[in-house]
Amino acid sequence: MDKGQEGVLYAFGSNGNGQLGIASDDDTSTPQLVHFSIDLNTYTNTAINNSFTSSLDNISDKDLETRPHVNAITPFHDFAAGGNHTALITHGSRQLFMTGSNKDGETLLQEPSQVFKPAELSLRLQSQEQQQRQQLNKNQDQGSISTNIAEGVQWRSVACGWAFTIGLTEPYPAPDSRDTIAVSCNSNTNNNNNNNQTVYAWGSGSFGELGLGPSLSKTGGQAIAITTGLLDTCPTSTNRHNTRFELVKVRAGLRHILLLAKETRISDEQGVAVETTARTVLMGWGSNRQGQLGVLARSDGDLTTPLTEKELRGKFMEPTRIIISATTRRSSMVDTGLGTEDDRCKEPEILDMACGQNHSLVLFSNGTVYSSGLDKYGQLGPRAPNSVVDSNNEERSMEKSKKVDFRIGFEQVLGLPFVDSISCGWNHNAAMDTRPLVGDPTAMTTIYLWGRNDHGQLGGGLPYRAMTVGVDGGMEAVPAGIVQVRIPLARRKNGSEEEADNMSKEELEFEPLVSYSCGSEHTLAMTQSGACYAWGWNEHGNCGGGVDSSGNRDLQDVPTPH
């Protein structure tokens, strides 16, 4: 691809295993062109350039209302970064490309790579049953169990953990404009059939992050279909419900995974199939030592008897339902005044989720965000006083003097205004409301951040003051424990940070922000004009080069957007 071409991808930062895909394994603080082993234009149904510059006219009104970063269309459908590897899915053909370390088979490539290559799936896809048979009989002919089901596979979502990758496929033929497809869970359906969505795992993980059950912690360079837990396609005869899932997206932390789906239950009432309304559900697996998966249901589907804390703080080896109280979610809308009257009478849907190192965020359609997991650095955000999610009152009775730096169970992050997108770093988070951008590309937008700030990953933001009901019954602004970051327009017009710093808040004009993302301990944001800003940890050039007190460029941490 030509450097002058719109829509090309650049990368910078830590690169010891070629995970940036820049044809090198050297760290870089200067954005470098990302390389692909083949011409992407020949690998997609629509040219990458056209995909990047496509008009918003091709997006439905519904998509405009709900799609995060609608003004930041990229030539890639989804991407994820792991410990030392990276994955991305192209638009059009929805093909999966990977680069970086392949020590544990996390890229499905034959060897480590410093450029993005198509994941070699045609001879590397196996079902879990086949893999288990192979382990039980190592002398079995390898060719007799390999499968060629990858031919024509399209990918919908991908997530990378420390040394593993989880991929969610599209069905064949391609999905409709709603971009979801049903997977029927009954005895006549096989998840390995190309006509259905499938969740595959590859790489290694000893904390259950592969979701393949207790017997498999390595996939041996194969992509293995997850058919355990809620993704088991053959429910027991005692289960009165057939469950159909529309698999939406997958996200991963260091050693835990969240999978979003829409669930429709079909029951047999006197020989007549009765279908319930579809609702969003969250599945999870992997480590829950710090509560990063929240409260999970028992494997027998009993939602009335929660697991004890001792049971929850362990490894979940297969996809398991995560319990988030609908009552809590509806009541929070009334308390905060968010949403319409109709919204407050129905259960909000889950729109998105994000995973940090050992914590997770969940975003709902009413603009609220819920968090669970490690809270050592305030990454779970402000919450109601004395609020605790009790999985078992007796087991959770700890001495009040004992400091607990984690929480098992999703609770609302208080103090946030309405947001429709979220992102997690290792121990900090960001959120934004992108609605002002719809129909007005010059509208002002703000990034809200909270959590750890030892490297300046919160960008020196100003405290956000949330409106709340005061003791006299009136509304008053109080600090919310959350900061807000904006980019002064003067920094773009004149390139002078000093001028922007010397201006009063009333004099400042701000650039519209259209996209952002949290790295491990740094944050990036892109403005409407196309400028990219970075702040936070910069040891490997993650922020593109810092500036010391004398104005010399170096690799010191960057405390404010630069």
Side-chain angles (χ1 to χ4, degrees):
M1 294 184 296
D2 181 75
K3 277 192 176 184
Q5 181 185 8
E6 289 190 57
V8 295
L9 182 65
Y10 290 85
F12 50 94
S14 179
N15 191 41
N17 289 274
Q19 59 265 43
L20 296 182
I22 58 176
S24 166
D25 61 0
D26 295 328
D27 294 352
T28 177
S29 61
T30 304
Q32 301 293 322
L33 183 68
V34 169
H35 293 261
F36 291 82
S37 62
I38 62 174
D39 183 358
L40 287 188
N41 287 325
T42 65
Y43 220 70
T44 56
N45 297 333
T46 304
I48 185 173
N49 185 42
N50 292 336
S51 176
F52 182 80
T53 58
S54 62
S55 168
L56 295 181
D57 293 340
N58 295 325
I59 302 176
S60 68
D61 292 339
K62 181 64 176 178
D63 287 335
L64 282 172
E65 295 174 3
T66 60
R67 181 175 179 177
H69 317 317
V70 69
N71 287 57
I73 298 175
T74 74
F76 306 106
H77 175 69
D78 197 13
F79 66 91
N84 293 290
H85 67 294
T86 311
L88 63 83
I89 299 173
T90 62
H91 275 308
S93 63
R94 300 287 176 86
Q95 297 303 302
L96 177 65
F97 286 76
M98 302 199 71
T99 187
S101 171
N102 195 44
K103 179 182 177 182
D104 295 286
E106 57 265 52
T107 65
L108 286 180
L109 304 178
Q110 293 182 349
E111 58 187 5
S113 178
Q114 298 176 7
V115 300
F116 279 95
K117 296 179 179 179
E120 300 176 2
L121 300 174
S122 60
L123 296 178
R124 290 180 176 271
L125 288 177
Q126 289 187 332
S127 70
Q128 185 176 349
E129 181 181 358
Q130 290 169 332
Q131 177 73 1
Q132 289 172 335
R133 288 205 311 267
Q134 179 180 342
Q135 287 195 342
L136 292 173
N137 185 3
K138 295 183 179 180
N139 296 325
Q140 185 174 356
D141 178 17
Q142 299 290 319
S144 66
I145 62 171
S146 64
T147 178
N148 197 34
I149 65 172
E151 189 173 335
V153 163
Q154 294 181 318
W155 297 90
R156 193 207 188 289
S157 184
V158 65
C160 296
W162 184 252
F164 66 93
T165 305
I166 306 294
L168 166 61
T169 70
E170 296 281 14
Y172 184 84
D176 61 18
S177 60
R178 295 302 301 163
D179 213 18
T180 56
I181 194 69
V183 177
S184 297
C185 294
N186 55 58
S187 57
N188 297 321
T189 300
N190 189 322
N191 249 16
N192 295 318
N193 190 311
N194 239 14
N195 291 322
N196 299 295
Q197 281 181 299
T198 306
V199 183
Y200 286 101
W202 57 94
S204 70
S206 57
F207 289 83
E209 50 265 67
L210 298 180
L212 300 173
S215 63
L216 288 177
S217 60
K218 296 183 178 180
T219 65
Q222 309 292 332
I224 302 177
I226 301 176
T227 57
T228 61
L230 285 183
L231 296 181
D232 183 358
T233 58
C234 299
T236 64
S237 58
T238 57
N239 184 358
R240 292 179 297 173
H241 294 278
N242 257 350
T243 301
R244 184 170 66 248
F245 288 115
E246 296 179 357
L247 304 180
V248 180
K249 65 180 68 175
V250 62
R251 296 292 180 257
L254 180 69
R255 294 187 176 94
H256 71 287
I257 296 87
L258 298 179
L259 174 64
L260 177 62
K262 289 187 177 181
E263 179 187 44
T264 301
R265 288 197 171 191
I266 305 172
S267 59
D268 186 354
E269 297 185 4
Q270 298 180 347
V272 178
V274 178
E275 184 172 306
T276 62
T277 303
R279 67 188 185 104
T280 52
V281 296
L282 201 60
M283 310 177 197
W285 61 93
S287 174
N288 198 35
R289 178 65 182 170
Q290 281 81 34
Q292 53 265 57
L293 295 176
V295 176
L296 298 97
R298 296 184 181 276
S299 58
D300 58 7
D302 180 6
L303 302 181
T304 61
T305 308
L307 296 167
T308 65
E309 180 182 326
K310 183 177 181 180
E311 291 173 316
L312 284 170
R313 293 194 66 192
K315 306 174 185 178
F316 286 80
M317 313 301 288
E318 57 187 39
T320 308
R321 186 184 301 270
I322 295 174
I323 303 174
I324 303 180
S325 171
T327 303
T328 301
R329 281 147 51 187
R330 282 196 295 269
S331 64
S332 72
M333 297 179 71
V334 176
D335 294 340
T336 59
L338 293 174
T340 65
E341 192 70 30
D342 289 339
D343 290 335
R344 298 173 201 174
C345 296
K346 62 183 181 182
E347 181 177 336
E349 291 188 350
I350 301 172
L351 291 185
D352 202 1
M353 62 280 192
C355 297
Q357 183 180 27
N358 292 300
H359 75 286
S360 302
L361 300 181
V362 175
L363 172 68
F364 289 95
S365 56
N366 62 359
T368 60
V369 177
Y370 281 62
S371 62
S372 182
L374 186 67
D375 195 28
K376 185 176 181 179
Y377 308 104
Q379 56 265 58
L380 299 190
R383 56 177 172 148
N386 302 321
S387 62
V388 177
V389 176
D390 286 329
S391 59
N392 183 288
N393 289 330
E394 294 181 3
E395 298 243 353
R396 197 134 171 95
S397 59
M398 300 180 179
E399 301 89 347
K400 292 184 178 180
S401 60
K402 183 178 180 181
K403 180 176 176 58
V404 179
D405 60 4
F406 67 91
R407 183 177 74 235
I408 303 176
F410 284 93
E411 294 185 24
Q412 185 181 354
V413 178
L414 298 181
L416 271 177
F418 183 101
V419 296
D420 61 8
S421 63
I422 53 176
S423 180
C424 284
W426 265 165
N427 294 293
H428 76 291
N429 313 288
M432 191 167 80
D433 179 6
T434 65
R435 294 177 304 168
L437 295 172
V438 178
D440 183 5
T442 64
M444 185 182 69
T445 47
T446 298
I447 300 176
Y448 302 96
L449 300 107
W450 67 98
R452 194 172 189 179
N453 195 36
D454 57 329
H455 293 286
Q457 49 266 60
L458 301 188
L462 298 174
Y464 174 71
R465 303 180 71 86
M467 298 302 296
T468 187
V469 179
V471 292
D472 59 354
M475 299 301 291
E476 61 179 358
V478 298
I482 294 169
V483 302
Q484 53 186 335
V485 169
R486 299 173 182 169
I487 307 297
L489 192 59
R491 296 188 181 182
R492 282 288 296 161
K493 284 184 176 179
N494 306 313
S496 171
E497 295 190 19
E498 182 178 355
E499 178 181 347
D501 292 339
N502 291 334
M503 296 173 69
S504 67
K505 288 190 293 184
E506 291 74 17
E507 295 176 310
L508 283 175
E509 294 182 45
F510 299 97
E511 280 221 71
L513 299 171
V514 298
S515 187
Y516 67 98
S517 184
C518 294
S520 60
E521 296 178 287
H522 67 292
T523 311
L524 298 173
M526 180 172 288
T527 66
Q528 183 69 45
S529 63
C532 182
Y533 285 81
W535 57 92
W537 185 48
N538 197 35
E539 180 180 350
H540 300 281
N542 311 0
C543 296
V547 178
D548 63 19
S549 57
S550 301
N552 300 314
R553 302 189 72 81
D554 59 20
L555 296 180
Q556 297 298 311
D557 290 347
V558 181
T560 58
H562 172 77

